[in-house]
Amino acid sequence: VKLLLKLTPQTLLVLDAFLLAPKQWRYGYDISRHTGLKSGTLYPILMRMADRKLLETSWETTELGTPPRHMYRLTADGLGFARGRRASSSTITVPRTAFAGVKS
Amino acid sequence: MSATRRFAARLLGIAARCAGAESQEWAHAMLRELDYIESDWAALFWALGSATAIFRHSVPRGFRAWLGKRAGKWEAMMGESFAKKAVGVILGIVTAAAVAGTAFGIVHLLFRLFPAWDLGPVPWWVAVIVIPEIIFVVAIVALWRKRRYMAEGILLSAIVLITHFILHVANHYH
């Protein structure tokens, strides 16, 4: 099931964001700011990861009157998957310019 | 709260309300994040992107659930209906065969027990064919409304019996 997660550059960005502090719970907006992904791109990735049990979700317990926030953290499987995929795809996700390789 | 932020909140609220049960948690998660976005325009773009994500998540799941529910219902209905019909028709055929077999057995036994017994003007096929056919017709009429499938089984047997008789007569008495 885990193999079916499409490893787009955006997914790798999200995995990177989680790998910075693997044990820490992260908020959606914080991940968005960190990765530069819009909510319309970020949340489908988070949903897919959660569906594949790579991501655990939780509602933050807050003081009375403050609305709770949804938090995300990699599961043990997710952590292993992220580290493995990150290592194997590090060579192909280096940012390239539009005209890379074209000689003038 | 500015009009832009109000619009963003309302848009995401509507998307959250319209989302299916499986997307509710995610929809509310995106809605909550809206409170932590400083810029109004960023909040609006967040809401637009989130609404798109909610629909992309919710619509295929909702459609699959609807399709699954419909397919399950149809399958159950068809399965139940087919089994009910098959049992009814088989029961009708078995009943008809038992009636015809009994009639044939009684006539055969009478001939065996009383070889000298003469049916007189009544030919043997009246007992073997006509009487069972009359019983079949009566049974079909009686059962047609309440036990349609059984009646259909009896009707099928009656047709087979009469066809067999016609072919038999055609082959032996032409």
Side-chain angles (χ1 to χ4, degrees):
Chain A
V1 177
K2 274 174 263 171
L3 290 174
L4 294 174
L5 184 71
K6 209 159 63 177
L7 277 174
T8 59
Q10 291 83 0
T11 306
L12 289 169
L13 280 174
V14 175
L15 290 176
D16 276 348
F18 280 113
L19 282 176
L20 285 175
K23 300 285 176 193
Q24 201 181 320
W25 288 99
R26 306 289 299 269
Y27 301 117
Y29 184 51
D30 292 342
I31 303 167
S32 170
R33 277 197 305 188
H34 185 270
T35 57
L37 297 175
K38 307 287 179 203
S39 58
T41 308
L42 172 67
Y43 275 97
I45 294 170
L46 296 177
M47 289 166 181
R48 279 198 293 272
M49 287 172 68
D51 282 347
R52 286 155 181 79
K53 313 282 182 208
L54 299 174
L55 194 73
E56 58 180 316
T57 64
S58 176
W59 286 99
E60 186 184 40
T61 47
T62 54
E63 292 167 16
L64 206 65
T66 317
R69 290 176 84 178
H70 212 213
M71 305 182 296
Y72 315 100
R73 189 170 68 175
L74 288 175
T75 59
D77 283 352
L79 192 57
F81 176 79
R83 282 181 176 149
R85 290 289 151 181
R86 189 66 260 179
S88 64
S89 58
S90 58
T91 52
I92 60 164
T93 54
V94 175
R96 297 171 66 187
T97 59
F99 299 102
V102 178
K103 289 178 183 174
S104 54
Chain B
M1 190 188 275
S2 72
T4 313
R5 189 172 281 273
R6 257 202 318 274
F7 176 73
R10 189 167 292 175
L11 176 74
L12 208 41
I14 291 169
R17 272 199 301 278
C18 295
E22 286 183 1
S23 309
Q24 282 290 326
E25 188 185 356
W26 289 101
H28 283 102
M30 294 176 217
L31 191 58
R32 288 284 153 265
E33 289 303 298
L34 204 62
D35 299 336
Y36 297 90
I37 300 170
E38 299 86 11
S39 158
D40 290 347
W41 284 103
L44 179 62
F45 285 118
W46 178 269
L48 287 169
S50 298
T52 312
I54 292 166
F55 280 107
R56 278 174 61 192
H57 188 252
S58 186
V59 170
R61 277 171 170 74
F63 183 67
R64 269 202 298 272
W66 177 81
L67 212 61
K69 202 187 275 181
R70 299 284 298 181
K73 206 181 266 183
W74 187 80
E75 211 169 64
M77 198 176 73
M78 284 305 289
E80 190 190 346
S81 159
F82 180 76
K84 204 173 168 185
K85 193 170 185 171
V87 167
V89 170
I90 290 167
L91 204 63
I93 291 169
V94 169
T95 309
V99 169
T102 307
F104 182 78
I106 289 170
V107 171
H108 194 70
L109 195 68
L110 285 173
F111 277 124
R112 286 274 176 155
L113 290 173
F114 311 104
W117 187 49
D118 185 13
L119 285 172
V122 183
W124 62 270
W125 52 265
V126 171
V128 176
I129 303 296
V130 176
I131 293 171
E133 286 289 342
I134 289 168
I135 295 170
F136 292 163
V137 170
V138 171
I140 290 163
V141 171
L143 295 172
W144 193 255
R145 288 199 174 181
K146 287 188 177 175
R147 305 191 72 174
R148 170 73 63 94
Y149 301 133
M150 193 175 173
E152 283 175 4
I154 296 171
L155 178 64
L156 188 69
S157 304
I159 292 167
V160 169
L161 187 65
I162 202 76
T163 309
H164 173 76
F165 175 71
I166 291 165
L167 289 174
H168 181 81
V169 170
N171 281 331
H172 291 87
Y173 300 100
H174 59 82

